[in-house]
Amino acid sequence: MKLTSIQFLVVGVFVLMLPFCATAQEEVLSKSEAIALTLENNYNIAVAGNTVEIAENNADLLNSNYLPSIFGLAGANYSVQDQQTDRDDGQSFELNDARSESYNASLNLEYTLFDGLGRLYNYKSLKENYNLSKLEARETIENTVLQLFSVYYEVARLTENVEILEQTLEISRNRVKRAGYQFDYGQNTKLEVLNAEVDVTNDSINLMNTRQLLQNTKRDLNVVLARNLQAGFAVDTNVTFIPKIQLESYIDLAQENNVRILQSESAITLSEYDIQSSKARFLPTVGLSGSYGWNESISPASAFFGGSTRQTTGWQGGLSLRWNLFDGGTSITQFKNAKIAKDNQELLKQQIELEVERDIANALGNYENLVDVFEIQEQNVITNKNNFERSKERFNLGQITSIEFRQAQINLINAQTNKNLAKYEAKFAELQLLQQIGQLLNIEF
């Protein structure tokens, strides 16, 4: 069934008013609130936090081997034997079911007084592993924040595009109404009405598709926030850029703050501790031991002695020294490999520094280029707005055709959506630059 002009008008009104019914109660999710929710709920960040907690537990004094080992021992032995003893005088002595019993219990202490400083460097290595795990968690947080704003800014872009398409649909709807009146009074042909109706249909479909894409992207953002997928919200579409002078000061400190460089430095420190730990294998180990024990033994009678019960209690202490003068070359091999591993880490650091320098240069170039594109697109919107307003006046005066008016309208739509895209691409490029120079988590959003 062919739709009339009035029906097209009703469809346009319905499509235009639908978002106001759906989003009227939605609160704005600010950037800072989005970050807070992500840090609190995001699963990747939670896993990274647990990993840091494990590393912190490992770096505790309780896991350092600096504390003594205290343990208890207890035991019992019971035996039943038949004994026969032949004496020199020709007599023999037999004892059947001779029972022997012994019981013991002790509290023992063992402590390593000196192990060639191996324990010291192992403890330092655990501390450095904790520091490295915090750097890895920071990298996870940075990547997650970038993921967050990649989706957040896409929601913002689509939100602004929806507003543009709603305004476009309103203009096209009014055009259908005007063309209908003009046709009724014989001022134009049915073709003008049909063209206006086609444009309303196309604008309605574009708006519906963009709204659906917006809803899908909002669900993507809720996944990053790790909350109910159906949670409704609006986003902040305001964008401000960091002053150039401030960015330059950040870039000057990039080598000190980039997380990849810091991780490589931590890996070199761990390699140094491994070398020191391997050196400790060439030195002696001195240990201290002590115990307090109780022993009881019950012996049966024999050919020469009667049965007896014996109990002993007391302290016992000892000092031990162990020095591996030669272990088949294992310690020497381990020491050599530890030095090679450190050399590898230093080479990797040089490679990472070169890559980071390149990444910063690329990120800065992309950011500056996209900011320039955004400024050009802003001017392009102004130009197309002026062109559209003039075309609208001339169309109302009958000086241009509906096709020419529609082209001016499409040009304005493209200019506005391209400006939105350029704005959020430039801002996201700025965040990527901030990550490379190690400042992403130090700025206010």
Side-chain angles (χ1 to χ4, degrees):
M1 183 179 66
K2 187 176 179 180
L3 296 177
T4 65
S5 299
I6 298 300
Q7 288 173 318
F8 268 99
L9 184 62
V10 172
V11 170
V13 171
F14 175 75
V15 174
L16 183 65
M17 293 303 296
L18 183 60
F20 296 103
C21 300
T23 62
Q25 302 300 321
E26 291 180 345
E27 296 183 359
V28 174
L29 175 67
S30 69
K31 301 178 184 71
S32 58
E33 290 172 340
I35 291 177
L37 286 172
T38 301
L39 294 177
E40 180 181 356
N41 300 331
N42 185 267
Y43 297 115
N44 290 333
I45 293 178
V47 171
N50 289 337
T51 302
V52 171
E53 189 173 351
I54 290 173
E56 183 179 13
N57 292 337
N58 289 337
D60 192 79
L61 185 64
L62 296 174
N63 192 44
S64 67
N65 291 327
Y66 271 108
L67 300 179
S69 174
I70 301 175
F71 57 94
L73 293 175
N77 291 294
Y78 181 80
S79 66
V80 179
Q81 298 177 339
D82 294 333
Q83 300 178 2
Q84 179 175 340
T85 305
D86 294 326
R87 300 172 57 173
D88 293 340
D89 58 7
Q91 296 182 355
S92 63
F93 180 82
E94 292 186 4
L95 180 63
N96 295 324
D97 297 330
R99 292 177 173 82
S100 298
E101 301 175 40
S102 65
Y103 305 93
N104 65 83
S106 64
L107 184 64
N108 303 271
L109 179 145
E110 291 182 354
Y111 184 63
T112 301
L113 295 175
F114 179 76
D115 66 347
L117 300 179
R119 147 180 77 179
L120 170 64
Y121 288 105
N122 286 336
Y123 184 51
K124 287 185 176 181
S125 181
L126 290 172
K127 289 287 189 181
E128 190 59 38
N129 270 313
Y130 171 50
N131 179 54
L132 180 58
S133 69
K134 290 194 292 184
L135 290 173
E136 291 171 345
R138 172 186 154 184
E139 185 177 27
T140 298
I141 293 173
E142 286 180 351
N143 291 334
T144 304
V145 168
L146 275 183
Q147 180 190 13
L148 165 68
F149 280 105
S150 173
V151 184
Y152 187 96
Y153 286 141
E154 181 64 8
V155 172
R157 185 183 73 86
L158 291 171
T159 298
E160 291 193 315
N161 284 356
V162 165
E163 293 174 357
I164 293 169
L165 293 175
E166 287 173 350
Q167 294 172 4
T168 300
L169 180 58
E170 174 64 18
I171 293 172
S172 298
R173 185 173 61 85
N174 289 334
R175 205 177 117 215
V176 168
K177 182 178 180 181
R178 178 184 178 84
Y181 289 152
Q182 289 177 337
F183 176 73
D184 291 340
Y185 289 98
Q187 295 178 355
N188 61 18
T189 65
K190 186 65 175 179
L191 181 61
E192 291 291 335
V193 177
L194 294 175
N195 286 336
E197 291 174 349
V198 168
D199 291 340
V200 166
T201 301
N202 291 333
D203 292 343
S204 300
I205 292 173
N206 290 338
L207 179 57
M208 291 170 63
N209 289 337
T210 305
R211 283 179 182 156
Q212 182 59 50
L213 186 57
L214 174 60
Q215 293 303 316
N216 293 346
T217 310
K218 283 187 174 183
R219 280 187 280 270
D220 291 339
L221 185 56
N222 281 331
V223 169
V224 179
L225 299 175
R227 65 177 187 174
N228 187 345
L229 295 181
Q230 305 307 321
F233 61 93
V235 296
D236 182 7
T237 58
N238 294 320
V239 167
T240 57
F241 296 99
I242 295 176
K244 185 176 181 180
I245 296 178
Q246 188 175 351
L247 269 181
E248 290 175 349
S249 67
Y250 288 157
I251 293 173
D252 292 339
L253 300 174
Q255 295 292 324
E256 301 175 15
N257 296 316
N258 179 272
V259 69
R260 291 185 63 202
I261 293 178
L262 293 176
Q263 286 174 345
S264 68
E265 292 174 349
S266 180
I268 291 175
T269 301
L270 286 171
S271 298
E272 291 173 348
Y273 292 152
D274 287 341
I275 292 175
Q276 297 300 326
S277 294
S278 63
K279 283 183 179 179
R281 295 171 64 92
F282 297 112
L283 298 175
T285 299
V286 180
L288 175 68
S289 63
S291 67
Y292 179 81
W294 167 81
N295 292 274
E296 179 180 86
S297 62
I298 302 174
S299 303
S302 66
F304 304 99
F305 304 99
S308 66
T309 299
R310 182 183 179 186
Q311 289 188 358
T312 61
T313 58
W315 295 93
Q316 180 181 351
L319 192 66
S320 65
L321 182 144
R322 178 184 176 90
W323 197 342
N324 288 332
L325 299 178
F326 183 69
D327 61 357
T330 302
S331 297
I332 296 175
T333 302
Q334 190 177 68
F335 175 69
K336 290 180 178 179
N337 289 341
K339 292 181 68 177
I340 295 172
K342 181 187 175 183
D343 292 339
N344 284 341
Q345 291 299 335
E346 289 177 340
L347 291 172
L348 287 174
K349 181 187 176 184
Q350 294 176 18
Q351 176 69 22
I352 289 173
E353 287 176 339
L354 186 61
E355 292 176 353
V356 168
E357 185 178 357
R358 176 206 62 193
D359 293 341
I360 291 174
N362 290 345
L364 179 60
N366 290 338
Y367 168 66
E368 291 176 341
N369 180 68
L370 288 170
V371 168
D372 290 340
V373 170
F374 171 56
E375 292 174 352
I376 292 172
Q377 292 291 1
E378 281 188 312
Q379 185 59 46
N380 191 39
V381 168
I382 295 173
T383 301
N384 277 278
K385 276 186 177 179
N386 291 334
N387 179 63
F388 175 73
E389 292 300 329
R390 289 174 62 88
S391 297
K392 184 177 180 181
E393 292 175 0
R394 295 182 64 190
F395 176 71
N396 291 337
L397 295 173
Q399 296 177 351
I400 62 172
T401 65
S402 60
I403 296 177
E404 292 173 315
F405 173 79
R406 179 62 176 177
Q407 186 60 53
Q409 187 181 29
I410 292 174
N411 290 341
L412 177 59
I413 295 170
N414 291 336
Q416 290 173 324
T417 55
N418 288 339
K419 186 203 77 171
N420 291 340
L421 178 61
K423 176 173 69 172
Y424 295 113
E425 282 185 340
K427 184 59 182 179
F428 189 70
E430 181 187 77
L431 297 184
Q432 290 176 313
L433 175 60
L434 289 171
Q435 182 192 29
Q436 292 298 330
I437 58 182
Q439 298 293 337
L440 181 61
L441 305 181
N442 299 329
I443 63 171
E444 294 184 3
F445 290 91

PDB file of all heavy atoms in Angstrom, residues 80-84 93-99 300:
ATOM      1  N   VAL A  80      57.830 -57.389  69.490  1.00  0.00           N
ATOM      2  CA  VAL A  80      57.660 -58.627  70.269  1.00  0.00           C
ATOM      3  C   VAL A  80      58.569 -59.681  69.638  1.00  0.00           C
ATOM      4  O   VAL A  80      58.438 -59.968  68.441  1.00  0.00           O
ATOM      5  CB  VAL A  80      56.201 -59.100  70.252  1.00  0.00           C
ATOM      6  CG1 VAL A  80      56.056 -60.401  71.038  1.00  0.00           C
ATOM      7  CG2 VAL A  80      55.284 -58.033  70.814  1.00  0.00           C
ATOM      8  N   GLN A  81      59.497 -60.231  70.449  1.00  0.00           N
ATOM      9  CA  GLN A  81      60.482 -61.172  69.938  1.00  0.00           C
ATOM     10  C   GLN A  81      60.641 -62.356  70.883  1.00  0.00           C
ATOM     11  O   GLN A  81      60.423 -62.240  72.085  1.00  0.00           O
ATOM     12  CB  GLN A  81      61.853 -60.482  69.759  1.00  0.00           C
ATOM     13  CG  GLN A  81      61.848 -59.339  68.759  1.00  0.00           C
ATOM     14  CD  GLN A  81      63.189 -58.655  68.684  1.00  0.00           C
ATOM     15  OE1 GLN A  81      63.995 -58.759  69.627  1.00  0.00           O
ATOM     16  NE2 GLN A  81      63.428 -57.942  67.596  1.00  0.00           N
ATOM     17  N   ASP A  82      61.021 -63.473  70.304  1.00  0.00           N
ATOM     18  CA  ASP A  82      61.430 -64.665  71.091  1.00  0.00           C
ATOM     19  C   ASP A  82      62.949 -64.702  71.098  1.00  0.00           C
ATOM     20  O   ASP A  82      63.590 -64.636  70.032  1.00  0.00           O
ATOM     21  CB  ASP A  82      60.889 -65.950  70.458  1.00  0.00           C
ATOM     22  CG  ASP A  82      59.372 -66.013  70.517  1.00  0.00           C
ATOM     23  OD1 ASP A  82      58.791 -65.403  71.434  1.00  0.00           O
ATOM     24  OD2 ASP A  82      58.778 -66.657  69.631  1.00  0.00           O
ATOM     25  N   GLN A  83      63.522 -64.805  72.315  1.00  0.00           N
ATOM     26  CA  GLN A  83      64.970 -64.776  72.453  1.00  0.00           C
ATOM     27  C   GLN A  83      65.493 -66.092  73.032  1.00  0.00           C
ATOM     28  O   GLN A  83      64.877 -66.682  73.918  1.00  0.00           O
ATOM     29  CB  GLN A  83      65.407 -63.615  73.367  1.00  0.00           C
ATOM     30  CG  GLN A  83      64.999 -62.242  72.861  1.00  0.00           C
ATOM     31  CD  GLN A  83      65.414 -61.158  73.819  1.00  0.00           C
ATOM     32  OE1 GLN A  83      66.036 -61.419  74.857  1.00  0.00           O
ATOM     33  NE2 GLN A  83      65.054 -59.903  73.474  1.00  0.00           N
ATOM     34  N   GLN A  84      66.627 -66.557  72.578  1.00  0.00           N
ATOM     35  CA  GLN A  84      67.323 -67.717  73.139  1.00  0.00           C
ATOM     36  C   GLN A  84      68.803 -67.378  73.219  1.00  0.00           C
ATOM     37  O   GLN A  84      69.421 -67.025  72.208  1.00  0.00           O
ATOM     38  CB  GLN A  84      67.126 -68.971  72.280  1.00  0.00           C
ATOM     39  CG  GLN A  84      67.856 -70.176  72.846  1.00  0.00           C
ATOM     40  CD  GLN A  84      67.563 -71.447  72.077  1.00  0.00           C
ATOM     41  OE1 GLN A  84      66.572 -71.514  71.370  1.00  0.00           O
ATOM     42  NE2 GLN A  84      68.412 -72.444  72.240  1.00  0.00           N
ATOM     43  N   PHE A  93      69.240 -69.753  77.990  1.00  0.00           N
ATOM     44  CA  PHE A  93      68.166 -68.900  78.528  1.00  0.00           C
ATOM     45  C   PHE A  93      67.191 -68.573  77.402  1.00  0.00           C
ATOM     46  O   PHE A  93      67.605 -68.111  76.335  1.00  0.00           O
ATOM     47  CB  PHE A  93      68.773 -67.621  79.104  1.00  0.00           C
ATOM     48  CG  PHE A  93      67.745 -66.687  79.673  1.00  0.00           C
ATOM     49  CD1 PHE A  93      67.230 -66.872  80.950  1.00  0.00           C
ATOM     50  CD2 PHE A  93      67.286 -65.602  78.928  1.00  0.00           C
ATOM     51  CE1 PHE A  93      66.290 -66.010  81.459  1.00  0.00           C
ATOM     52  CE2 PHE A  93      66.344 -64.743  79.441  1.00  0.00           C
ATOM     53  CZ  PHE A  93      65.829 -64.946  80.707  1.00  0.00           C
ATOM     54  N   GLU A  94      65.934 -68.835  77.617  1.00  0.00           N
ATOM     55  CA  GLU A  94      64.900 -68.558  76.623  1.00  0.00           C
ATOM     56  C   GLU A  94      63.902 -67.537  77.169  1.00  0.00           C
ATOM     57  O   GLU A  94      63.531 -67.601  78.344  1.00  0.00           O
ATOM     58  CB  GLU A  94      64.155 -69.826  76.244  1.00  0.00           C
ATOM     59  CG  GLU A  94      64.998 -70.819  75.477  1.00  0.00           C
ATOM     60  CD  GLU A  94      64.179 -72.014  74.998  1.00  0.00           C
ATOM     61  OE1 GLU A  94      62.933 -71.993  75.218  1.00  0.00           O
ATOM     62  OE2 GLU A  94      64.765 -72.923  74.412  1.00  0.00           O
ATOM     63  N   LEU A  95      63.523 -66.652  76.282  1.00  0.00           N
ATOM     64  CA  LEU A  95      62.513 -65.648  76.651  1.00  0.00           C
ATOM     65  C   LEU A  95      61.545 -65.508  75.487  1.00  0.00           C
ATOM     66  O   LEU A  95      61.943 -65.104  74.393  1.00  0.00           O
ATOM     67  CB  LEU A  95      63.166 -64.300  76.957  1.00  0.00           C
ATOM     68  CG  LEU A  95      62.209 -63.162  77.369  1.00  0.00           C
ATOM     69  CD1 LEU A  95      61.486 -63.513  78.670  1.00  0.00           C
ATOM     70  CD2 LEU A  95      62.962 -61.849  77.510  1.00  0.00           C
ATOM     71  N   ASN A  96      60.337 -65.882  75.702  1.00  0.00           N
ATOM     72  CA  ASN A  96      59.315 -65.795  74.660  1.00  0.00           C
ATOM     73  C   ASN A  96      58.460 -64.525  74.851  1.00  0.00           C
ATOM     74  O   ASN A  96      58.198 -64.115  75.978  1.00  0.00           O
ATOM     75  CB  ASN A  96      58.412 -67.028  74.697  1.00  0.00           C
ATOM     76  CG  ASN A  96      59.192 -68.291  74.350  1.00  0.00           C
ATOM     77  OD1 ASN A  96      60.084 -68.258  73.503  1.00  0.00           O
ATOM     78  ND2 ASN A  96      58.884 -69.391  75.037  1.00  0.00           N
ATOM     79  N   ASP A  97      58.000 -63.997  73.714  1.00  0.00           N
ATOM     80  CA  ASP A  97      57.168 -62.782  73.721  1.00  0.00           C
ATOM     81  C   ASP A  97      57.831 -61.625  74.469  1.00  0.00           C
ATOM     82  O   ASP A  97      57.224 -60.933  75.279  1.00  0.00           O
ATOM     83  CB  ASP A  97      55.784 -63.051  74.331  1.00  0.00           C
ATOM     84  CG  ASP A  97      54.986 -64.055  73.524  1.00  0.00           C
ATOM     85  OD1 ASP A  97      55.196 -64.101  72.289  1.00  0.00           O
ATOM     86  OD2 ASP A  97      54.169 -64.779  74.105  1.00  0.00           O
ATOM     87  N   ALA A  98      59.116 -61.414  74.174  1.00  0.00           N
ATOM     88  CA  ALA A  98      59.836 -60.296  74.802  1.00  0.00           C
ATOM     89  C   ALA A  98      59.405 -58.985  74.132  1.00  0.00           C
ATOM     90  O   ALA A  98      59.549 -58.817  72.917  1.00  0.00           O
ATOM     91  CB  ALA A  98      61.334 -60.487  74.655  1.00  0.00           C
ATOM     92  N   ARG A  99      58.859 -58.120  74.916  1.00  0.00           N
ATOM     93  CA  ARG A  99      58.322 -56.854  74.390  1.00  0.00           C
ATOM     94  C   ARG A  99      59.315 -55.715  74.619  1.00  0.00           C
ATOM     95  O   ARG A  99      59.810 -55.542  75.734  1.00  0.00           O
ATOM     96  CB  ARG A  99      56.986 -56.512  75.045  1.00  0.00           C
ATOM     97  CG  ARG A  99      55.865 -57.465  74.660  1.00  0.00           C
ATOM     98  CD  ARG A  99      54.575 -57.126  75.409  1.00  0.00           C
ATOM     99  NE  ARG A  99      53.452 -57.914  74.937  1.00  0.00           N
ATOM    100  CZ  ARG A  99      53.188 -59.151  75.319  1.00  0.00           C
ATOM    101  NH1 ARG A  99      53.986 -59.755  76.203  1.00  0.00           N
ATOM    102  NH2 ARG A  99      52.150 -59.805  74.833  1.00  0.00           N
ATOM    103  N   PRO A 300      62.947 -55.603  77.702  1.00  0.00           N
ATOM    104  CA  PRO A 300      62.617 -56.843  78.440  1.00  0.00           C
ATOM    105  C   PRO A 300      63.844 -57.400  79.138  1.00  0.00           C
ATOM    106  O   PRO A 300      64.982 -56.992  78.882  1.00  0.00           O
ATOM    107  CB  PRO A 300      62.120 -57.755  77.324  1.00  0.00           C
ATOM    108  CG  PRO A 300      62.894 -57.317  76.128  1.00  0.00           C
ATOM    109  CD  PRO A 300      63.055 -55.837  76.263  1.00  0.00           C
TER     110      PRO A 300
END
